[in-house]
Amino acid sequence: MILHTDEPKTGSQSLPKPLEPPLPPAQAGSRKKRGLPIGWMVAGLLLAGLGTGGYFLQRQFQQQMAQRFQALTVPVQVADLTQRLRVSGQVQPIRQVNVSPRESGRLLELFVDQGDEVTEGQLLARMDYGDLTSSIQQAQARIQELQARLAEQQAGERTQVIAGAQARVDAAQSQVDLAQTEWDRIQALVQEGVVARNELDQRLARLEQAQAELRSAQQELERLQLGSRPEAIQQTQAQIAQAQADLAQRQSRVADTEVRAPFTGIVVQRFAEIGSFVAPTTAASDATAASSSSILALAQGIEVRAEVPEAQIAQVQVGQPVEIRSLAYPDQVVQGQVKRIAPATVVVREVTVFRVIVEPEPGADFLRTGMNVSVDFIGDPQPQALTVPSVAVTYERGQEGVILLDPQTQRPVYRQVETGITQSGVTQILSGLEPGDRVFTSLPPGMTLDTLIKAEP
């Protein structure tokens, strides 16, 4: 009980009020009993009012938070997926060579230009190697001369020549017979002593001379009848072969002036102009030094060379269907298939990859050499797959998970999941979620991923 006292005023003095007589004990106890229920009732009513208001405030706050969380989540969807692996690639020709002459020289004529389609063996250009026509004519004349000599040697002398030689043999034989008769006659006269011995010697000398002339005429006739010796014929034949080789070499130089297409294709580059000095090259090259000495570059067909990371090469097989999209024509999809997988890896920008050759189907005329494309390797279909947006999947401490909105508490919780394929911004969920669950696509306000993981039951 609080007692109130009246302070005396200045300049005056108040008298104390008379005290009320004390109540009897029975009455005092009765007043206390009547005062307690009223106080407790007031306090209870006050606490009840505060409790009811707090409960409604809490429910309202929870509903607002639930609505806010609902706006930050998306439901788990069921969709048909197809396994895809997307990598980058580039359009390249199946065959490409730098066309050049066999010998260095100046370009005399050029018959094609960039973009022209050519066939195998078509004349593309002609080189200037000087005056080769006159040297070819000289070589041909030399061959004709040697061939005539060989024919004469093989056929032998003419009949008139042989007849003349036979006549000389007959005349020499007559002289021998005459000289022999004179010698016999003089020898008889010498024995009879009518003629001197020296006359017999003179007749003998004439006989020997006639006999020598007869032998010479006979040898000439025999030579003419037999023809040329085999050694002479062989020598002439060797000379003809040498002359023919010389002619072939000069004709080859004339053929070398003509530059022809090695295969059917299209002229993709033109490096030289008429009058330019060009030289032989052995293969296609992007190097300026190699291409500047060539006449043009010829290519045949197109293919796509894709680079597949080593960790994903198991998803690629020969004959697998492929979809090709170029950066220049993103709305046009070209179908194709895997033609070849390189047997060894290469390192491209510090990444180990396999080169995969993709063959486009006919009709991809808009693809050009050097175009950058994206290549989708089509895998097995996955029907009725659980999917979430790929941004909803977290990777922390070597495990995959999502932030799930608990359907009972309406609070975000961390849930570990197992994922499958990813396609067009969605990821397949193999385990950890059910249809109808809602997942966050970003961290809830005021929360961290580490805190949610630690709170995971």
Side-chain angles (χ1 to χ4, degrees), residues 9 24 50 52 63 85 105 143 183 188 195 206 215 255-256 260 286 354 392 443 446:
K9 297 182 180 179
L50 292 175
T52 303
Q63 291 176 356
L85 171 63
I143 292 175
W183 186 79
V195 179
R206 289 178 183 178
R215 287 194 298 269
D256 290 345
R260 299 185 177 273
D286 295 332
F354 280 87
L443 280 173

PDB file of all heavy atoms in Angstrom, residues 9 24 50 52 63 85 105 143 183 188 195 206 215 255-256 260 286 354 392 443 446:
ATOM      1  N   LYS A   9       2.656  23.610   3.711  1.00  0.00           N
ATOM      2  CA  LYS A   9       2.916  24.770   2.864  1.00  0.00           C
ATOM      3  C   LYS A   9       3.697  25.802   3.637  1.00  0.00           C
ATOM      4  O   LYS A   9       3.651  25.879   4.844  1.00  0.00           O
ATOM      5  CB  LYS A   9       1.589  25.370   2.395  1.00  0.00           C
ATOM      6  CG  LYS A   9       0.806  24.399   1.523  1.00  0.00           C
ATOM      7  CD  LYS A   9      -0.473  25.049   1.053  1.00  0.00           C
ATOM      8  CE  LYS A   9      -1.274  24.109   0.188  1.00  0.00           C
ATOM      9  NZ  LYS A   9      -2.563  24.706  -0.274  1.00  0.00           N
ATOM     10  N   PRO A  24     -11.161  -4.765  11.879  1.00  0.00           N
ATOM     11  CA  PRO A  24     -10.991  -6.019  12.627  1.00  0.00           C
ATOM     12  C   PRO A  24     -10.292  -7.040  11.757  1.00  0.00           C
ATOM     13  O   PRO A  24     -10.348  -6.971  10.523  1.00  0.00           O
ATOM     14  CB  PRO A  24     -12.430  -6.449  12.938  1.00  0.00           C
ATOM     15  CG  PRO A  24     -13.235  -5.187  12.827  1.00  0.00           C
ATOM     16  CD  PRO A  24     -12.562  -4.341  11.840  1.00  0.00           C
ATOM     17  N   LEU A  50      -2.022 -10.654 -25.325  1.00  0.00           N
ATOM     18  CA  LEU A  50      -0.701 -10.629 -25.963  1.00  0.00           C
ATOM     19  C   LEU A  50      -0.403 -11.933 -26.682  1.00  0.00           C
ATOM     20  O   LEU A  50       0.149 -11.958 -27.781  1.00  0.00           O
ATOM     21  CB  LEU A  50       0.367 -10.351 -24.895  1.00  0.00           C
ATOM     22  CG  LEU A  50       0.341  -8.939 -24.274  1.00  0.00           C
ATOM     23  CD1 LEU A  50       1.377  -8.842 -23.154  1.00  0.00           C
ATOM     24  CD2 LEU A  50       0.611  -7.884 -25.356  1.00  0.00           C
ATOM     25  N   THR A  52      -2.511 -14.157 -28.031  1.00  0.00           N
ATOM     26  CA  THR A  52      -3.321 -14.289 -29.252  1.00  0.00           C
ATOM     27  C   THR A  52      -2.787 -13.393 -30.351  1.00  0.00           C
ATOM     28  O   THR A  52      -2.637 -13.795 -31.510  1.00  0.00           O
ATOM     29  CB  THR A  52      -4.785 -13.949 -28.946  1.00  0.00           C
ATOM     30  OG1 THR A  52      -5.264 -14.791 -27.906  1.00  0.00           O
ATOM     31  CG2 THR A  52      -5.641 -14.123 -30.196  1.00  0.00           C
ATOM     32  N   GLN A  63       3.384 -17.056 -43.241  1.00  0.00           N
ATOM     33  CA  GLN A  63       2.724 -17.089 -44.538  1.00  0.00           C
ATOM     34  C   GLN A  63       3.455 -16.196 -45.551  1.00  0.00           C
ATOM     35  O   GLN A  63       3.616 -16.560 -46.714  1.00  0.00           O
ATOM     36  CB  GLN A  63       1.261 -16.661 -44.397  1.00  0.00           C
ATOM     37  CG  GLN A  63       0.403 -17.658 -43.638  1.00  0.00           C
ATOM     38  CD  GLN A  63      -1.017 -17.161 -43.428  1.00  0.00           C
ATOM     39  OE1 GLN A  63      -1.327 -16.029 -43.804  1.00  0.00           O
ATOM     40  NE2 GLN A  63      -1.863 -17.993 -42.806  1.00  0.00           N
ATOM     41  N   LEU A  85      25.717 -34.476 -76.388  1.00  0.00           N
ATOM     42  CA  LEU A  85      27.041 -33.951 -76.045  1.00  0.00           C
ATOM     43  C   LEU A  85      27.376 -32.879 -77.065  1.00  0.00           C
ATOM     44  O   LEU A  85      27.474 -33.156 -78.261  1.00  0.00           O
ATOM     45  CB  LEU A  85      28.096 -35.050 -76.070  1.00  0.00           C
ATOM     46  CG  LEU A  85      29.554 -34.580 -75.931  1.00  0.00           C
ATOM     47  CD1 LEU A  85      29.748 -33.903 -74.569  1.00  0.00           C
ATOM     48  CD2 LEU A  85      30.518 -35.741 -76.090  1.00  0.00           C
ATOM     49  N   GLY A 105      59.076 -21.540-112.714  1.00  0.00           N
ATOM     50  CA  GLY A 105      58.986 -20.729-113.919  1.00  0.00           C
ATOM     51  C   GLY A 105      57.931 -19.657-113.762  1.00  0.00           C
ATOM     52  O   GLY A 105      57.375 -19.449-112.677  1.00  0.00           O
ATOM     53  N   ILE A 143      66.072 -38.601-135.041  1.00  0.00           N
ATOM     54  CA  ILE A 143      65.533 -39.961-134.969  1.00  0.00           C
ATOM     55  C   ILE A 143      65.229 -40.493-136.364  1.00  0.00           C
ATOM     56  O   ILE A 143      65.513 -41.668-136.675  1.00  0.00           O
ATOM     57  CB  ILE A 143      64.280 -39.969-134.084  1.00  0.00           C
ATOM     58  CG1 ILE A 143      64.648 -39.693-132.623  1.00  0.00           C
ATOM     59  CG2 ILE A 143      63.551 -41.300-134.183  1.00  0.00           C
ATOM     60  CD1 ILE A 143      63.466 -39.554-131.704  1.00  0.00           C
ATOM     61  N   TRP A 183     101.012 -67.643-168.358  1.00  0.00           N
ATOM     62  CA  TRP A 183     102.113 -68.198-167.555  1.00  0.00           C
ATOM     63  C   TRP A 183     102.399 -69.631-167.979  1.00  0.00           C
ATOM     64  O   TRP A 183     103.573 -70.010-168.086  1.00  0.00           O
ATOM     65  CB  TRP A 183     101.696 -68.160-166.086  1.00  0.00           C
ATOM     66  CG  TRP A 183     102.818 -68.581-165.178  1.00  0.00           C
ATOM     67  CD1 TRP A 183     103.873 -67.854-164.767  1.00  0.00           C
ATOM     68  CD2 TRP A 183     102.992 -69.875-164.599  1.00  0.00           C
ATOM     69  NE1 TRP A 183     104.700 -68.536-163.952  1.00  0.00           N
ATOM     70  CE2 TRP A 183     104.174 -69.822-163.814  1.00  0.00           C
ATOM     71  CE3 TRP A 183     102.271 -71.087-164.643  1.00  0.00           C
ATOM     72  CZ2 TRP A 183     104.657 -70.916-163.110  1.00  0.00           C
ATOM     73  CZ3 TRP A 183     102.789 -72.149-163.920  1.00  0.00           C
ATOM     74  CH2 TRP A 183     103.939 -72.055-163.147  1.00  0.00           C
ATOM     75  N   ALA A 188     106.254 -73.253-170.766  1.00  0.00           N
ATOM     76  CA  ALA A 188     106.629 -74.272-171.763  1.00  0.00           C
ATOM     77  C   ALA A 188     107.736 -73.773-172.677  1.00  0.00           C
ATOM     78  O   ALA A 188     108.666 -74.512-173.037  1.00  0.00           O
ATOM     79  CB  ALA A 188     105.393 -74.663-172.570  1.00  0.00           C
ATOM     80  N   VAL A 195     112.341 -68.917-174.737  1.00  0.00           N
ATOM     81  CA  VAL A 195     112.123 -67.642-174.042  1.00  0.00           C
ATOM     82  C   VAL A 195     113.015 -67.615-172.799  1.00  0.00           C
ATOM     83  O   VAL A 195     113.224 -68.642-172.150  1.00  0.00           O
ATOM     84  CB  VAL A 195     110.647 -67.474-173.629  1.00  0.00           C
ATOM     85  CG1 VAL A 195     110.436 -66.174-172.888  1.00  0.00           C
ATOM     86  CG2 VAL A 195     109.743 -67.532-174.836  1.00  0.00           C
ATOM     87  N   ARG A 206     102.145 -61.105-163.013  1.00  0.00           N
ATOM     88  CA  ARG A 206     100.833 -60.673-163.508  1.00  0.00           C
ATOM     89  C   ARG A 206      99.722 -61.633-163.011  1.00  0.00           C
ATOM     90  O   ARG A 206      98.626 -61.191-162.686  1.00  0.00           O
ATOM     91  CB  ARG A 206     100.846 -60.658-165.021  1.00  0.00           C
ATOM     92  CG  ARG A 206     101.706 -59.531-165.596  1.00  0.00           C
ATOM     93  CD  ARG A 206     101.695 -59.624-167.105  1.00  0.00           C
ATOM     94  NE  ARG A 206     102.580 -58.585-167.676  1.00  0.00           N
ATOM     95  CZ  ARG A 206     102.797 -58.446-169.001  1.00  0.00           C
ATOM     96  NH1 ARG A 206     102.212 -59.274-169.866  1.00  0.00           N
ATOM     97  NH2 ARG A 206     103.603 -57.502-169.454  1.00  0.00           N
ATOM     98  N   ARG A 215      90.342 -61.933-155.545  1.00  0.00           N
ATOM     99  CA  ARG A 215      89.943 -62.144-154.137  1.00  0.00           C
ATOM    100  C   ARG A 215      89.273 -60.882-153.563  1.00  0.00           C
ATOM    101  O   ARG A 215      88.301 -60.966-152.816  1.00  0.00           O
ATOM    102  CB  ARG A 215      91.168 -62.517-153.315  1.00  0.00           C
ATOM    103  CG  ARG A 215      91.663 -63.938-153.585  1.00  0.00           C
ATOM    104  CD  ARG A 215      92.648 -64.367-152.521  1.00  0.00           C
ATOM    105  NE  ARG A 215      93.817 -63.518-152.525  1.00  0.00           N
ATOM    106  CZ  ARG A 215      94.921 -63.765-153.252  1.00  0.00           C
ATOM    107  NH1 ARG A 215      94.982 -64.837-154.056  1.00  0.00           N
ATOM    108  NH2 ARG A 215      95.974 -62.970-153.200  1.00  0.00           N
ATOM    109  N   ALA A 255      54.859 -30.896-121.736  1.00  0.00           N
ATOM    110  CA  ALA A 255      53.713 -31.313-120.923  1.00  0.00           C
ATOM    111  C   ALA A 255      53.739 -30.648-119.555  1.00  0.00           C
ATOM    112  O   ALA A 255      52.685 -30.349-118.975  1.00  0.00           O
ATOM    113  CB  ALA A 255      53.700 -32.833-120.768  1.00  0.00           C
ATOM    114  N   ASP A 256      54.951 -30.410-119.043  1.00  0.00           N
ATOM    115  CA  ASP A 256      55.063 -29.752-117.746  1.00  0.00           C
ATOM    116  C   ASP A 256      54.584 -28.317-117.780  1.00  0.00           C
ATOM    117  O   ASP A 256      54.273 -27.741-116.731  1.00  0.00           O
ATOM    118  CB  ASP A 256      56.512 -29.810-117.248  1.00  0.00           C
ATOM    119  CG  ASP A 256      56.919 -31.216-116.849  1.00  0.00           C
ATOM    120  OD1 ASP A 256      56.016 -32.060-116.687  1.00  0.00           O
ATOM    121  OD2 ASP A 256      58.130 -31.465-116.721  1.00  0.00           O
ATOM    122  N   ARG A 260      47.416 -29.240-114.689  1.00  0.00           N
ATOM    123  CA  ARG A 260      46.081 -29.817-114.737  1.00  0.00           C
ATOM    124  C   ARG A 260      45.593 -30.177-113.336  1.00  0.00           C
ATOM    125  O   ARG A 260      46.384 -30.374-112.411  1.00  0.00           O
ATOM    126  CB  ARG A 260      46.061 -31.047-115.649  1.00  0.00           C
ATOM    127  CG  ARG A 260      46.435 -30.719-117.096  1.00  0.00           C
ATOM    128  CD  ARG A 260      46.303 -31.921-118.013  1.00  0.00           C
ATOM    129  NE  ARG A 260      46.607 -31.561-119.401  1.00  0.00           N
ATOM    130  CZ  ARG A 260      45.708 -31.073-120.253  1.00  0.00           C
ATOM    131  NH1 ARG A 260      44.442 -30.904-119.862  1.00  0.00           N
ATOM    132  NH2 ARG A 260      46.049 -30.749-121.488  1.00  0.00           N
ATOM    133  N   ASP A 286      48.789 -23.682 -94.981  1.00  0.00           N
ATOM    134  CA  ASP A 286      48.266 -22.355 -94.721  1.00  0.00           C
ATOM    135  C   ASP A 286      49.368 -21.311 -94.632  1.00  0.00           C
ATOM    136  O   ASP A 286      49.112 -20.127 -94.500  1.00  0.00           O
ATOM    137  CB  ASP A 286      47.474 -22.343 -93.411  1.00  0.00           C
ATOM    138  CG  ASP A 286      46.232 -23.219 -93.518  1.00  0.00           C
ATOM    139  OD1 ASP A 286      45.721 -23.364 -94.642  1.00  0.00           O
ATOM    140  OD2 ASP A 286      45.789 -23.745 -92.485  1.00  0.00           O
ATOM    141  N   PHE A 354      40.152 -35.455 -78.323  1.00  0.00           N
ATOM    142  CA  PHE A 354      40.205 -36.354 -79.474  1.00  0.00           C
ATOM    143  C   PHE A 354      39.601 -35.627 -80.668  1.00  0.00           C
ATOM    144  O   PHE A 354      38.555 -34.973 -80.545  1.00  0.00           O
ATOM    145  CB  PHE A 354      39.415 -37.640 -79.211  1.00  0.00           C
ATOM    146  CG  PHE A 354      40.142 -38.654 -78.382  1.00  0.00           C
ATOM    147  CD1 PHE A 354      40.070 -38.615 -76.999  1.00  0.00           C
ATOM    148  CD2 PHE A 354      40.893 -39.649 -78.984  1.00  0.00           C
ATOM    149  CE1 PHE A 354      40.726 -39.545 -76.225  1.00  0.00           C
ATOM    150  CE2 PHE A 354      41.566 -40.585 -78.221  1.00  0.00           C
ATOM    151  CZ  PHE A 354      41.491 -40.536 -76.842  1.00  0.00           C
ATOM    152  N   ALA A 392      19.885 -24.866 -60.623  1.00  0.00           N
ATOM    153  CA  ALA A 392      19.461 -25.258 -59.285  1.00  0.00           C
ATOM    154  C   ALA A 392      20.393 -26.288 -58.663  1.00  0.00           C
ATOM    155  O   ALA A 392      20.319 -26.541 -57.458  1.00  0.00           O
ATOM    156  CB  ALA A 392      18.034 -25.818 -59.330  1.00  0.00           C
ATOM    157  N   LEU A 443      20.312 -18.979 -53.985  1.00  0.00           N
ATOM    158  CA  LEU A 443      20.317 -19.070 -52.525  1.00  0.00           C
ATOM    159  C   LEU A 443      19.199 -18.200 -51.941  1.00  0.00           C
ATOM    160  O   LEU A 443      18.987 -17.064 -52.370  1.00  0.00           O
ATOM    161  CB  LEU A 443      21.666 -18.607 -51.981  1.00  0.00           C
ATOM    162  CG  LEU A 443      22.813 -19.626 -52.047  1.00  0.00           C
ATOM    163  CD1 LEU A 443      24.118 -18.970 -51.635  1.00  0.00           C
ATOM    164  CD2 LEU A 443      22.512 -20.827 -51.144  1.00  0.00           C
ATOM    165  N   GLY A 446      19.619 -14.157 -47.126  1.00  0.00           N
ATOM    166  CA  GLY A 446      20.138 -14.262 -45.767  1.00  0.00           C
ATOM    167  C   GLY A 446      20.670 -15.618 -45.393  1.00  0.00           C
ATOM    168  O   GLY A 446      20.957 -15.849 -44.210  1.00  0.00           O
TER     169      GLY A 446
END
